[in-house]
């Protein structure tokens, strides 16, 4: 099947025609899925699709493991899971054909992946798709992959720093938070991120909401541009940055709607929950899948000329809290913390919102502690109109130094030990 590439359409009218062509096939695939067949008539065009009930995360959990499967199991290339807050697994599965679309979407970066790149993949490989996505995209582009994972005892932060430097890593893929931890680990090892890693030319990040101030701080810390990405294990990459630095939805590869949970209506743009219908799926069709991420979508002109809607990702609605009757989001608070002057060196923070009280802790060394605390109290007051309790804690309190300096300690199973060795770990080889 011919997958569109950026530049294949001129303007939104052409994009819509392109979507309709591929939607017809996507709906034929959905008709082969037991889940959608059981729901009754599968739609055959865009107008009918609009009448279809949204597919929810709950639906995917209930369909565990293969309720949506539209091909023979032998055709599957990979199986993945993500787990929500309930702990119940959500399955995703892809054919080799699906993987072409997945890798191409991820590879759409304003800083292209090159064959000469040394690409550190620092997101999980276990069950989730994120590590495999970056791995496949980097391989497709001819880059050298360093498969580092981030949930493995084999790859503590000290080792990440060593690999970044010794291998002249040029591009990385991780959570934004991880790049801050590498910076702290580099500092703990006596290195300076913006000076001692000259090969590094881009930090690809995703998987977490990222406020503009934190993004700017990460770029400044490393002296390399931060390139954002948005997606999920069930969908792969859904949006990436254009050369103008704005996040665009891949609307040539999926249909997008914005859902208002209060009215139950969807619209092409505006603020609400993002709903997606991927257009190039073989194994696991999804019709109007509600990502349950709060977003703001707009169809305007952008200097890149891509003619793809822009999106601002505001995060999971469930992550919102209230303090003193005022709604707070993590991204909103983060913007204030990283809006503090860089010389204060505040990289790590946490906050607890109670009904009448907001407590924020920031890691900050003397002599910056008192001015940092005062500045943050003032910023929260200005933004939210509440009196926050801000506490400056010494570095190491929120992120222990031992986490940043620990070295790899991975054993293999053994049966035979010398008498001076600890044999209690004979089979717990982790
Ligand atoms: Zn753009």
């Amino acid at each position: 099947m011919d997958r569109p590439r950026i530049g294949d359409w001129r303007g939104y009218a052409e994009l819509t025609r392109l979507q309709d062509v591929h939607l017809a096939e996507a709906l034929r695939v959905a008709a082969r899925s037991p889940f959608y067949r059981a729901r009754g008539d599968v739609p055959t065009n865009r107008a009918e699709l609009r009448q279809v009930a949204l597919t929810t995360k709950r639906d995917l959990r209930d369909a565990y493991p293969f309720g949506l499967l539209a091909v023979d199991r032998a055709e599957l290339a990979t199986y993945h899971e993500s787990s929500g807050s309930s702990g119940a697994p959500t399955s995703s599965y892809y054919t080799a054909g699906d993987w072409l679309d997945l890798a191409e979407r991820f590879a759409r970066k304003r800083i292209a992946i090159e064959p000469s790149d040394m690409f550190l993949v620092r997101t999980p490989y276990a069950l989730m798709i994120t590590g495999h996505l970056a791995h496949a995209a980097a391989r497709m582009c001819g880059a050298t992959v360093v498969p580092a994972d981030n949930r493995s005892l084999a790859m503590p932060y000290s080792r990440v720093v060593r690999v970044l430097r010794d291998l002249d890593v040029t591009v990385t893929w991780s959570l934004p938070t991880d790049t801050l931890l590498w910076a702290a680990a580099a500092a703990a090892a006596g290195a300076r991120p913006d000076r001692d890693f000259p090969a590094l030319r881009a930090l690809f990040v995703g998987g977490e909401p990222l406020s503009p101030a934190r993004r700017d701080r990460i770029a400044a810390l490393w002296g390399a541009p931060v390139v954002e990405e948005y997606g999920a294990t069930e969908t792969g990459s859904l949006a990436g940055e254009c050369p103008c630095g704005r996040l665009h939805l891949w609307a040539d590869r999926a249909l997008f709607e914005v859902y208002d949970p209060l009215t139950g209506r969807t619209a092409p743009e505006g603020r609400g929950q993002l709903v997606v219908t991927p257009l190039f799926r073989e194994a696991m069709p999804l019709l109007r899948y509600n990502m349950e991420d709060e977003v703001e979508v707009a169809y305007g002109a952008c200097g890149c000329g891509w003619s793809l809607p822009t999106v601002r990702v505001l995060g999971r609605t469930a992550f919102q809290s209230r303090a003193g009757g005022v709604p707070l989001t993590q991204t909103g608070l983060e913007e204030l913390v990283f809006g503090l002057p860089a010389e204060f060196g505040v990289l790590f923070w946490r906050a607890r919102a109670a009904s009448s009280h907001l407590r924020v802790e920031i890691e900050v060394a003397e002599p910056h502690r008192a001015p940092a605390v005062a500045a943050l109290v003032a910023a929260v007051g200005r933004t939210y109109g509440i009196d926050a309790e801000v506490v400056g804690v010494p570095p190491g309190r929120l992120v222990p130094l031992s986490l940043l300096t620990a070295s790899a300690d991975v054993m293999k199973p053994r049966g035979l030990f010398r008498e001076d060795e600890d044999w209690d770990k004979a089979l717990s080889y982790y």
Side-chain angles (χ1 to χ4, degrees):
M1 196 189 308
D2 237 11
R3 290 177 305 277
R5 286 167 197 282
I6 288 170
D8 282 1
W9 62 95
R10 281 159 304 164
Y12 288 119
E14 264 188 41
L15 176 64
T16 304
R17 280 198 294 280
L18 194 69
Q19 289 172 335
D20 283 332
V21 169
H22 295 295
L23 179 62
E25 174 60 18
L27 295 176
R28 277 194 289 276
V29 171
R32 295 197 284 270
S33 156
F35 172 81
Y36 289 110
R37 272 209 311 270
R39 278 182 156 195
D41 286 343
V42 178
T44 57
N45 57 48
R46 194 189 287 250
E48 289 175 17
L49 178 66
R50 273 196 212 105
Q51 308 305 316
V52 168
L54 302 188
T55 303
T56 63
K57 288 185 184 284
R58 169 82 193 266
D59 289 331
L60 295 201
R61 286 196 292 271
D62 291 348
Y64 166 85
F66 288 117
L68 283 105
L69 188 65
V71 295
D72 193 275
R73 241 189 249 190
E75 288 182 47
L76 292 181
T78 58
Y79 170 89
H80 304 272
E81 286 182 6
S82 54
S83 52
S85 42
S86 69
T90 300
S91 306
S92 307
Y93 22 88
Y94 300 104
T95 63
D98 288 329
W99 267 102
L100 297 175
D101 169 47
L102 288 168
E104 285 171 359
R105 276 187 277 141
F106 184 90
R108 284 179 171 179
K109 302 279 183 217
R110 71 179 166 89
I111 294 175
I113 306 166
E114 305 286 351
S116 55
D117 274 320
M118 186 65 73
F119 191 122
L120 181 86
V121 178
R122 176 61 175 170
T123 57
Y125 277 68
L127 282 177
M128 282 186 271
I129 200 176
T130 166
H132 301 274
L133 257 189
H135 194 118
R139 294 285 298 116
M140 183 183 75
C141 297
T144 306
V145 175
V146 184
D149 200 282
N150 83 332
R151 305 265 167 111
S152 167
L153 288 179
M155 206 65 197
Y157 289 104
S158 61
R159 197 169 198 177
V160 173
V161 171
R162 198 256 297 156
V163 163
L164 284 171
R165 191 179 45 211
D166 292 358
L167 276 55
D168 297 322
V169 167
T170 55
V171 178
T172 62
W173 164 238
S174 69
L175 294 169
T177 295
D178 224 44
T179 64
L180 295 173
L181 289 161
W182 307 340
R192 241 183 67 184
D194 62 344
R195 186 194 61 197
D196 298 331
F197 303 82
L200 194 65
R201 66 185 191 91
L203 300 154
F204 296 162
V205 299
E208 273 183 305
L210 179 63
S211 69
R214 183 158 73 122
R215 178 198 164 102
D216 290 349
R217 180 67 61 80
I218 292 170
L221 265 173
W222 286 98
V226 170
V227 181
E228 240 186 300
E229 157 82 26
Y230 168 71
T233 288
E234 309 90 84
T235 59
S237 170
L238 294 176
E241 278 183 34
C242 73
C244 303
R246 297 177 75 190
L247 210 54
H248 289 270
L249 290 169
W250 307 135
D252 59 317
R253 300 290 179 106
L255 297 187
F256 294 97
E257 302 167 76
V258 179
Y259 172 67
D260 180 346
L262 293 178
T263 64
R265 292 205 198 94
T266 62
E269 57 188 322
R271 189 165 169 161
Q273 296 177 342
L274 188 67
V275 169
V276 55
T277 303
L279 294 175
F280 296 88
R281 303 278 284 229
E282 294 175 352
M284 185 180 156
L286 288 173
L287 301 182
R288 307 189 83 199
Y289 175 55
N290 186 359
M291 301 286 293
E292 292 174 27
D293 272 333
E294 179 122 349
V295 297
E296 204 170 293
V297 174
Y299 282 76
C302 180
C304 63
W306 283 1
S307 297
L308 288 171
T310 55
V311 62
R312 273 181 65 219
V313 181
L314 305 162
R316 288 283 154 80
T317 317
F319 289 169
Q320 283 185 2
S321 312
R322 297 178 84 84
V326 179
L328 299 170
T329 61
Q330 171 165 320
T331 323
L333 281 177
E334 176 185 294
E335 180 71 8
L336 302 182
V337 172
F338 285 90
L340 293 171
E343 62 265 27
F344 291 171
V346 177
L347 298 185
F348 305 115
W349 65 284
R350 65 182 180 189
R352 182 169 264 169
S355 56
S356 63
H357 187 75
L358 175 69
R359 180 185 167 99
V360 186
E361 293 182 353
I362 52 176
E363 260 194 14
V364 55
E366 292 291 8
H368 300 302
R369 196 165 298 154
V373 166
L376 190 55
V377 168
V380 173
R382 258 195 324 274
T383 308
Y384 294 108
I386 52 176
D387 253 341
E389 178 195 10
V390 177
V391 180
V393 300
R397 182 70 62 80
L398 302 183
V399 176
L401 188 64
S402 58
L403 179 78
L404 302 174
T405 56
S407 55
D409 180 21
V410 176
M411 299 172 65
K412 287 191 169 181
R414 272 172 76 183
L416 181 60
F417 291 79
R418 289 193 311 266
E419 69 174 345
D420 60 335
E421 285 183 314
D422 173 13
W423 71 345
D424 287 344
K425 283 190 177 168
L427 289 170
S428 54
Y429 51 96
Y430 45 79

